[in-house]
Structures are given as structure tokens and as C-alpha cells.
Amino acid sequence: MAADIKVPTLGESVTSATIARWMKKAGDTVAADEPLVELETDKVTVEVNAPEAGTLEEIIAPEGAEVEVGALLGRIGAAGAKPAAKLIEPKSAPATAPAAAAGVHPPQTPPGPVARPGVAALPAAAKMMEEKHISAAEIGTGTAKDGRISKGDVLAFVNKPPVAPAPPAAKPARAPDTREERVKMTRLRKTIASRLKDAQNTAAMLTTFNEVDMSAIMALRSEYKEAFEKKHKGVRLGFNGFFVKAVVAALAEFPAVNAEIDGDDIVYKHYVHMGIAVGGANGLVVPVIRDAGEKTIAQIEAEIAGFGKAAKEGTLKLEQLSGGTFSITNGGVYGSLMSTPIINPPQSAILGMHKIQERPVAVNGQVVIRPMMYLAVSYDHRIIDGREAVSFLVRVKESLEDPRRLLLEI
């Protein structure tokens, strides 16, 4: 009894996928739960495993095909079963068989009437041809007896519409440039492009900037990173945990930054599901830390490290990528000094972190060198006023420059 391989449920709002690749070919032996085919959705890549052990008897949906949830991908038969034979359409016979091969000669078309010398045109036709300067060769065989040209033949020739000149020969196509490569966009990349363009077209998006002195956090991290890693079983103390905590505290004070627009309503969220933008093998993805305000810095750092690893391996789950209320992106890991991050709809704001760079700054009337980072918040002005956005970013800055504020919740 053959077992069907079908497209599984792909998650909320995902109804179709593209077959990225088959990991087995028809006739291969497969084990139960062994990955067979890789599906690419507009969010993540999903592997479909074998429902049971046996032989991949038939591949129904080829690579590159678009399939919907529940669609049949292939079948698994008993171990040792041969691949299903493909139906071959019989070749249609040629419309006309060659005469020599068939042994039958086609009937000969009787020749049309041919004008005899000296009687090519009837008198009336000849007179009209002389007046209009038309030769018998131009008209050809006539319709009168013995193929002679009649007056009607001349009139038909005169009234015949002119033949359109032949179009100029098309220029030969330009040979493809061997230095170029054309690659079809993945579903994920197309979705990213579409969502970002929708954000630009829909939101009244602005960006406000500030800078933060990272001296206090860097000193705290340097002093406690070894003890932190030892206590939390290998979890490294980075900067992301501090930023998430600072953002959560600021969102509690400015709830509109954590809200979203739904039709004519504003939906305020009394929780923070923090999206963390990470680069993966297939592009930028934004996995979500659920209830970030209820988690410790160690828990946050562990989740972010797991997101980065899963993104590189392409193993993020769909449920990890939905439901975010606010996002953080860090262009500084790639060397960006300043940028204007783009909102991740339906969220209303996003924080951009950047490269830490030593710069001269004025402190208590003295010019000193400090490790500085530019911060940027892009926000939807339809729901967030400029005062709220600026005040939110100032509160994030204050918490990062004096981490004791986070501990004391002030």
C-alpha cells in the first residue's frame, strides 16, 4: 500500500509553498521520518519527512512547482518497489506521409489554363491594359477561355489593394553577457521586498536619532562576562540583552510605540513580543522573543543566540517568526555607523543599533574619548507623535548609559 507524501500545514496565513529541492530521487530507499523534500514558503524553509519507511515510488510535484497545503507531492511504496512508470504519449503520425515511403503518389493537381501566344487578352481587355499601362505578365493567367485575360481580370487587377512592404529584418538578439547571472528570486526574498514596499507605501514613516555612551555597559560586561557565562552554562553576555531590557522599560512608559493600527482602531499591547532581526542563509528574518519583559538577560541572550544559529541553518519555525510587537535591528554587526531602519508591519516602530566607535565627546566641560553608538527609531507618524518617539529614544539612551536604572525600574 503506497503512502502519500503531502504538503503539511505551514502555519498561520501561509497557504502555499515552492518545492525548493528533492533530497531523494524516485527509486531511492527512505527511512521513516527521513527528510525527503524541502519547501520554501514566504517565511521559512520547511522540510517534509517520509511518513513511513519504504521506497520513493513516485515524485508527483517537481522542483520549482508551487503547491498548496494538502497537495500530493509523491508516494512511498514497499521497500524494493520499482519507480512508477511514466505514461508516454504515442507520437502522432505525420499529417502527410512521404509518397516514396507509402508507395502511393499523391494526385496531381491539374494545371490551370495557360494563355496561348497571340491570344493572351480579349480585345476589350487589351485596350484597357494599354490605357492603364499594364502588361499581360503582371496579370498572369486570365479567367476567359483558354486562359485569356478578360476585361474583368483587368478591373480586378486595378482594384486589387496594394501589397504592404515587407517589414525590415529584425536585428539579431544581443548575445547574453557571460559576466551576468540571472537567478530566480526566492519566495522569502519576494515576500521581504513586498512587505517592505508596503510599509513605505502605507506608513507615514519618520526616523529620529540619538547617540548613547556605551562606557557603562561595556565596563559592566567586561567585569561580569566570565561569571555570567559560568553561571548560565555557556550563555555569553552580549549587548542585546541590555538593549531589549531598555526598550521594554521605555515601551511601558510610551505604549503607543508598542501599538498597531487595525483599520480605524489603535490596538495597544500590554505585553512585549520583541522581534530581533537576524541574517540567515535565505535573507533577513525577524524571530520573536515572547513576553520579553518577563525574561532575564540570560534568557534573552540564550534565545537570541539560538535564533542566530537556527537562521544560519535554515531551521527556524514559522511560529518563531510571527506576533512581534516591536523590533530591534543591528546594522552595527556589519559595520554600519548610521541608518534609517524600516518598520516591520504591522508594527509601528523599530530600533536600529549601530557600530560602537570611539569618538571625542564633551563630558563635564572636558573633551574625552568615549565608545559611542548612534541609535535610530523609525516610527509610524499616524500613531506615534514626534514627542513620543523622541522621548522613547531618550529613555532608552538613559537606561543604557546608566544600567542601574533598569535594576531600580526608574
Side-chain angles (χ1 to χ4, degrees):
M1 184 72 179
D4 291 340
I5 308 164
K6 293 186 176 182
V7 179
T9 301
L10 298 170
E12 182 182 0
S13 76
V14 181
T15 60
S16 64
T18 300
I19 297 180
R21 67 187 178 104
W22 278 92
M23 304 173 195
K24 296 285 186 177
K25 62 181 182 295
D28 285 354
T29 301
V30 298
D33 293 326
E34 183 179 4
L36 292 180
V37 58
E38 194 174 79
L39 304 180
E40 185 181 79
T41 74
D42 55 7
K43 292 183 178 179
V44 293
T45 299
V46 178
E47 288 183 351
V48 179
N49 297 338
E52 62 182 47
T55 299
L56 182 55
E57 188 177 84
E58 183 179 11
I59 292 176
I60 294 174
E63 293 182 0
E66 186 168 339
V67 290
E68 297 183 352
V69 172
L72 186 62
L73 300 175
R75 291 189 177 91
I76 293 178
K82 294 182 179 180
K86 295 183 179 179
L87 293 177
I88 302 176
E89 295 292 334
K91 295 182 179 180
S92 57
T96 304
V104 177
H105 294 282
Q108 298 295 322
T109 303
V114 180
R116 296 178 183 176
V119 289
L122 297 175
K127 182 178 180 183
M128 182 177 289
M129 290 164 60
E130 185 179 355
E131 292 172 352
K132 296 187 177 296
H133 306 288
I134 299 172
S135 68
E138 291 178 88
I139 298 177
T141 303
T143 58
K145 188 178 179 180
D146 296 330
R148 289 182 292 179
I149 299 172
S150 68
K151 186 176 180 181
D153 295 329
V154 179
L155 289 173
F157 178 84
V158 171
N159 295 324
K160 184 170 62 175
V163 178
K171 294 181 179 179
R174 182 173 65 91
D177 193 328
T178 56
R179 295 171 297 174
E180 297 176 356
E181 182 181 7
R182 185 179 295 271
V183 179
K184 189 176 180 64
M185 288 179 70
T186 64
R187 287 175 64 93
L188 176 60
R189 176 56 59 188
K190 286 190 288 187
T191 299
I192 291 171
S194 176
R195 286 174 62 84
L196 295 183
K197 191 57 185 174
D198 285 346
Q200 286 184 320
N201 294 339
T202 303
M205 193 160 54
L206 296 177
T207 304
T208 184
F209 300 92
N210 213 314
E211 62 180 354
V212 57
D213 184 346
M214 296 291 290
S215 299
I217 286 182
M218 292 179 72
L220 188 65
R221 179 173 177 263
S222 178
E223 183 176 355
Y224 292 107
K225 65 179 181 180
E226 290 184 5
F228 183 91
E229 188 171 347
K230 183 177 180 180
K231 179 179 180 179
H232 297 291
K233 300 178 181 178
V235 176
R236 299 181 62 185
L237 179 61
F239 296 118
N240 286 317
F242 294 104
F243 274 83
V244 170
K245 281 294 187 182
V247 168
V248 168
L251 290 175
E253 190 172 348
F254 302 97
V257 184
N258 194 48
E260 69 178 59
I261 294 176
D262 183 12
D264 294 331
D265 299 330
I266 297 176
V267 182
Y268 291 94
K269 311 295 179 67
H270 301 301
Y271 56 88
V272 178
H273 288 347
M274 188 70 69
I276 304 294
V278 295
N282 297 318
L284 187 72
V285 289
V286 189
V288 177
I289 301 173
R290 309 283 170 184
D291 295 309
E294 301 176 12
K295 295 182 176 177
T296 65
I297 287 181
Q299 291 173 318
I300 291 169
E301 291 286 1
E303 283 200 45
I304 293 175
F307 290 157
K309 183 174 184 292
K312 290 178 181 177
E313 296 174 351
T315 57
L316 280 169
K317 306 298 183 184
L318 286 167
E319 56 269 21
Q320 294 176 293
L321 298 170
S322 60
T325 62
F326 185 93
S327 291
I328 296 176
T329 182
N330 186 1
V333 297
Y334 304 110
S336 173
L337 190 61
M338 183 179 288
S339 68
T340 56
I342 190 167
I343 297 170
N344 183 25
Q347 298 169 25
S348 297
I350 183 172
L351 174 73
M353 300 166 56
H354 298 92
K355 180 182 178 181
I356 299 172
Q357 188 173 61
E358 289 191 339
R359 294 198 299 272
V361 294
V363 178
N364 298 324
Q366 301 292 321
V367 176
V368 295
I369 304 298
R370 292 292 177 87
M372 305 298 292
M373 176 193 286
Y374 287 116
L375 299 179
V377 166
S378 293
Y379 61 98
D380 189 346
H381 209 340
R382 297 177 302 165
I383 183 174
I384 303 169
D385 294 332
R387 177 187 62 82
E388 289 177 298
V390 172
S391 300
F392 165 82
L393 192 55
V394 168
R395 190 66 71 245
V396 172
K397 166 188 168 71
E398 291 172 346
S399 295
L400 293 170
E401 290 184 336
D402 185 0
R404 295 172 297 178
R405 297 176 64 97
L406 296 175
L407 179 63
L408 299 174
E409 297 183 352
I410 59 175

